[in-house]
Amino acid sequence: MQQIFNFLIRNKNSILFLILFAVSIFLTIQNHAFHKSRFVSSANYVTGGVYNWSNNINTYLHLDEYNERLLEENNKLRNIISNIHDSISVEKQLDSTSFEGDYLFRTARVINNNFSKIDNYLTLNRGEESGIKQEYGVITSQGIVGIVDRVNDNYSRVISILNSRSRINAQLNNTNHFGSLVWNGKDPNIVQLIDVPRQAPLQKGDTIITGGRSLIFPKGLPIGSIQDFSLDQTQSYYTINIKLFNDMTNIGYVYVIENVNKEEIEKLQDNNEQ
Amino acid sequence: MNSKLFSNIARFIVLVFLQVLILNNVNLAGYINPHLYVLFILLYPFAGNQSLFLFLSFLLGLSVDIFEDSGGINAAACLVAAFVRPNLLRFSFGISYDHQNIRLAATPFGAKLSYVFLMVLIHHFVLFSLEMFSLNHILLILKKTLFSSLFTVVLTLLSLSLFSKKYR
C-alpha cells in the first residue's frame, strides 16, 4: 500500500498530465462529432458577451459597407416589387408586415466569424429569446452562410459552410441536377459541389442555387458560380468548384430562416417510414 | 512572490483576450495565425510548482478553445508543451537550468531561440494535428505548423525583447 502511494506521489505530474490530456482529447473528439459538442461552445454568456462587446466597435468601422449592401438589396427587392405591380393589385402586396409565407426571416448580427481552420463556426448575437432554434438556416443577401447548431438564451452558434462537416443540398440553376455542398478546407472563397451526375450540362460561370430538398433552406437561394469542374474517380459524378457570391471572410448582418411547416413535413415523413 | 503571482495572472488574462480578439483575426495568406498565448507557458516561473503549471496550461488552452469553438485542441497542445518544458529547458540552457538560476532575458540569443522555437513547434504540431484529426491531411498539418510557428516565434521574440525589463 505504502509503495502504491509512493508511486502515485512520485509520478503525480505524469498522472495529472495523462488525466488532463484525456479530458482534452475527449472534448476534441466530441467536437468532431456532429451536433454533440455540448460542453465547450462560444455561444455562452461570457464568450458571447466578450465577442458582442468587441464586435460593437468593429461594426461601427464597417457601417459604410453595410449601408452599401443594404442599398443594393433594397434595389433588388424594389425591382421585384415593381414587376409585381403589373400583375397583381398593389395594396395587397405592399402590406408585407403580415408575412404568411412558408418561411420566417429574422435578422441577427455576426459577432464572431472564423474561416482559417478546417471546422469553422460563427457566433450570432441572437438566441432562443429571439426565437432562434437549432437547424435554422442562415443567409445574407448575397448567399448562404450556414446552419444554426447550438442555441443559448442570447447567443447562437452557426456551423459555417466552411466546415468539413457541413453538407448542404444544392443544385444547378438551369436544370434540376443536384448534389451536396462541401468544403475541402483550402480556400474560404471556394466550396465544392459533389455527387452531381455526369449527365448534367455544366458550363463555367453557371449559377448554383439551394436545392430545397432539405427543410432548412428555401429553394432557389443563390450560392455561387461554377469556377471549374472535373469527374471524380468513379467517372460518373462531377466534382465542381464553386466561387461563392458571399464573401465569407466579411459577414456583417445575416438573416436566420425558419421553415414554418417543418414540423408538419417531418411528421408526414416519419409516418411514411413506418 | 506576490507581484510574481499577480503578473502571471495578468499575463494569463491579457494573452487570452489578445489571442481571441486580435490575433485570431490576422489570417495572413488566408490561414496563418500566430498563437502568442504560448508566451504564458514559456514565461511561467521555472522553479514554480509543476502540477499547478500543468493545470494552468490546460486552463489557458481551454479558455482559448471555448472562444474558438474548437473542442479541446488548444488545451491538449498547451498541456503537451507544458509537460515537455523541463526537458526542453535542460536541452536549451543546460547547466544553468539545473541550478535554477536562469533569467530568460539574460540568456544568449541562440539558447533562447532554440527554447522558444522548439516549444512553439511542439505546441503547434499537436494543435494542428488535432484540428485536422486525420492522417490524410498530413501535408496541410506540416504546412500550417511551419508557417504559423515562424509567425509565432517572431512575435514571441519581439514581445520578449519589448517587455524584458520586468524580468531582469
Side-chain angles (χ1 to χ4, degrees):
Chain A
M1 201 63 191
Q2 186 72 33
Q3 274 182 340
I4 296 175
F5 280 129
N6 278 341
F7 174 80
L8 287 181
I9 290 169
R10 224 177 325 120
N11 292 310
K12 65 174 193 296
N13 284 336
S14 308
I15 292 166
L16 182 66
F17 169 75
L18 286 178
I19 292 173
L20 292 180
F21 194 71
V23 171
S24 50
I25 295 292
F26 169 75
L27 289 175
T28 307
I29 291 173
Q30 213 179 31
N31 198 39
H32 278 274
F34 191 64
H35 270 185
K36 275 186 185 160
S37 37
R38 288 276 168 267
F39 302 115
V40 179
S41 122
S42 69
N44 65 45
Y45 181 73
V46 178
T47 54
V50 170
Y51 277 138
N52 201 7
W53 168 79
S54 90
N55 189 260
N56 277 337
I57 302 167
N58 207 359
T59 318
Y60 199 71
L61 301 174
H62 287 102
L63 278 181
D64 271 356
E65 206 182 321
Y66 297 151
N67 268 336
E68 203 115 314
R69 276 190 215 166
L70 269 181
L71 271 180
E72 216 168 89
E73 195 186 2
N74 275 345
N75 188 28
K76 205 166 80 187
L77 294 177
R78 269 189 186 281
N79 279 334
I80 295 174
I81 287 185
S82 64
N83 286 338
I84 290 173
H85 274 221
D86 302 336
S87 45
I88 318 170
S89 77
V90 190
E91 289 76 17
K92 234 178 196 174
Q93 282 300 321
L94 280 183
D95 183 23
S96 59
T97 43
S98 62
F99 228 119
E100 285 179 12
D102 294 338
Y103 295 95
L104 208 66
F105 291 75
R106 295 179 174 85
T107 56
R109 200 175 73 208
V110 175
I111 56 173
N112 173 44
N113 175 22
N114 46 51
F115 43 86
S116 61
K117 292 184 285 181
I118 201 157
D119 293 322
N120 296 296
Y121 297 92
L122 301 97
T123 316
L124 306 183
N125 72 337
R126 292 281 157 80
E128 217 147 7
E129 283 181 4
S130 319
I132 292 178
K133 293 204 184 82
Q134 261 192 14
E135 304 235 313
Y136 283 7
V138 179
I139 62 166
T140 67
S141 55
Q142 291 142 317
I144 63 173
V145 173
I147 296 171
V148 175
D149 126 276
R150 262 183 66 92
V151 192
N152 185 291
D153 282 352
N154 293 308
Y155 303 100
S156 49
R157 184 174 86 167
V158 177
I159 293 197
S160 165
I161 48 173
L162 305 182
N163 187 313
S164 63
R165 290 194 294 282
S166 149
R167 277 178 90 90
I168 289 168
N169 180 274
Q171 69 169 58
L172 300 178
N173 194 13
N174 305 334
T175 63
N176 272 328
H177 293 101
F178 65 92
S180 303
L181 201 69
V182 295
W183 189 50
N184 63 8
K186 285 179 184 147
D187 187 335
N189 292 314
I190 312 282
V191 294
Q192 283 72 37
L193 185 65
I194 56 168
D195 297 342
V196 178
R198 197 187 170 137
Q199 292 80 359
L202 296 178
Q203 208 144 50
K204 272 183 196 177
D206 275 2
T207 307
I208 304 290
I209 57 175
T210 52
R213 270 171 192 78
S214 74
L215 298 174
I216 295 171
F217 293 105
K219 185 176 171 165
L221 294 174
I223 296 174
S225 57
I226 299 182
Q227 196 181 51
D228 51 49
F229 50 86
S230 58
L231 283 171
D232 67 0
Q233 284 138 340
T234 60
Q235 296 289 314
S236 47
Y237 292 101
Y238 280 117
T239 297
I240 310 172
N241 282 323
I242 299 169
K243 175 114 182 49
L244 292 171
F245 290 139
N246 228 351
D247 182 2
M248 285 300 286
T249 63
N250 181 9
I251 304 171
Y253 288 84
V254 292
Y255 299 103
V256 182
I257 309 175
E258 174 186 355
N259 186 343
V260 181
N261 303 324
K262 190 173 171 189
E263 260 176 46
E264 210 176 321
I265 298 174
E266 268 172 357
K267 219 191 223 164
L268 186 71
Q269 285 173 342
D270 281 350
N271 280 341
N272 278 348
E273 277 162 21
Q274 276 164 13
Chain B
M1 190 62 215
N2 260 337
S3 83
K4 222 172 197 178
L5 183 76
F6 178 75
S7 74
N8 269 298
I9 293 172
R11 196 186 296 139
F12 187 105
I13 295 168
V14 168
L15 281 175
V16 168
F17 277 82
L18 186 71
Q19 184 65 41
V20 296
L21 293 182
I22 297 173
L23 295 180
N24 276 347
N25 297 317
V26 172
N27 296 315
L28 200 68
Y31 61 90
I32 306 173
N33 281 334
H35 293 82
L36 191 66
Y37 69 93
V38 189
L39 200 60
F40 176 82
I41 302 172
L42 293 173
L43 286 179
Y44 187 82
F46 297 133
N49 182 345
Q50 198 64 24
S51 308
L52 182 67
F53 174 49
L54 282 176
F55 186 70
L56 284 179
S57 303
F58 175 77
L59 215 59
L60 174 76
L62 196 66
S63 339
V64 176
D65 272 331
I66 293 174
F67 275 101
E68 282 187 19
D69 283 309
S70 48
I73 61 174
N74 285 291
C78 284
L79 204 57
V80 171
F83 189 66
V84 300
R85 192 180 80 148
N87 299 320
L88 285 180
L89 279 171
R90 198 165 292 126
F91 171 79
S92 297
F93 301 115
I95 193 88
S96 51
Y97 170 67
D98 289 332
H99 292 113
Q100 302 280 356
N101 62 355
I102 37 169
R103 293 190 310 262
L104 205 55
T107 51
F109 182 74
K112 193 158 62 181
L113 180 68
S114 89
Y115 168 59
V116 171
F117 188 71
L118 287 174
M119 284 289 283
V120 168
L121 206 63
I122 288 170
H123 173 272
H124 282 35
F125 181 70
V126 176
L127 181 70
F128 290 122
S129 308
L130 288 178
E131 186 194 319
M132 307 288 174
F133 217 64
S134 107
L135 277 178
N136 298 333
H137 291 102
I138 188 76
L139 269 181
L140 196 59
I141 293 174
L142 292 178
K143 199 171 79 177
K144 274 190 153 185
T145 305
L146 184 68
F147 290 137
S148 290
S149 295
L150 288 177
F151 200 172
T152 309
V153 167
V154 169
L155 266 191
T156 308
L157 290 176
L158 277 180
S159 28
L160 276 180
S161 52
L162 270 178
F163 299 105
S164 63
K165 275 217 173 91
K166 266 190 245 166
Y167 310 107
R168 212 164 268 162

